[in-house]
Amino acid sequence: MASTREAMLDSAITLFRQRGVAATSMRDIVEHGQAPRGSIYHHFPGGKEELAREATQRAGDFIGSLLTGLANDPAEAIEKFIGFWRGALASADFLDGCPIASGALSDEARDVAGAAFTSWEETLAAHIESKGVPVDRAESLATLAIASVEGALIMARAQRSDEPLRRVGQELAQLI
């Protein structure tokens, strides 16, 4: 069973994915996580900023581990990465977005989100480079892939369809 602190982090990630950091209050997180009221400042004495930073870091590390563990084949890694997002959207009735994108749009977690995106790019670039692609080109392709998936995720949520993700995945697979 998760600790109260972990439950609040998980609740923050879920709510940030659905509402964004700015539109999620500490009270929302406590209620969603069914935590005692006073526990939020006990576990996060720095308040919402500390919680937003840690939740963004946790989500970024999780998604980064997916990219790391997916495959050494860059096209397969992208296919599975997109598959993850397609599944996440479908299971949440297109309410969920990327918690890192939410963090990037907040003052509280912008730098943590930036570090997560950079880490994802570096991981994917290393996969691409391992296939003999020059470093500069591998880095550009990795940036294109992450930015494309993030944009497609926003479009998919707005259109309530995974079609943008499917199309981006198809094009990225051909490109890479």
Side-chain angles (χ1 to χ4, degrees), residues 24-148:
T24 303
S25 71
M26 296 292 267
R27 183 179 191 167
D28 294 335
I29 293 165
V30 167
E31 288 176 7
H32 184 270
Q34 300 177 346
R37 252 185 210 203
S39 63
I40 195 104
Y41 290 103
H42 171 74
H43 292 290
F44 301 97
K48 187 174 179 181
E49 180 175 349
E50 180 181 353
L51 178 60
R53 293 177 66 80
E54 286 194 40
T56 301
Q57 180 72 51
R58 182 179 178 132
D61 290 347
F62 170 75
I63 296 167
S65 71
L66 287 178
L67 279 174
T68 299
L70 285 176
N72 281 333
D73 177 11
E76 185 180 346
I78 289 169
E79 178 184 327
K80 288 183 178 182
F81 188 51
I82 287 176
F84 167 79
W85 285 119
R86 288 176 74 190
L89 280 172
S91 69
D93 195 30
F94 294 90
L95 292 176
D96 280 358
C98 177
I100 309 311
S102 295
L105 297 175
S106 74
D107 291 338
E108 296 92 348
R110 183 174 296 121
D111 60 331
V112 176
F117 285 137
T118 298
S119 174
W120 300 354
E121 287 176 287
E122 290 170 351
T123 298
L124 189 53
H127 283 315
I128 296 168
E129 187 183 345
S130 75
K131 299 302 178 188
V133 176
V135 175
D136 288 349
R137 178 79 173 138
E139 290 172 347
S140 293
L141 287 170
T143 299
L144 176 66
I146 298 299
S148 297

Side-chain angles (χ1 to χ4, degrees), residues 82 86 162-171:
I82 287 176
R86 288 176 74 190
D162 69 354
E163 192 63 17
L165 282 164
R166 188 194 64 73
R167 288 179 180 157
V168 162
Q170 188 176 30
E171 290 302 319

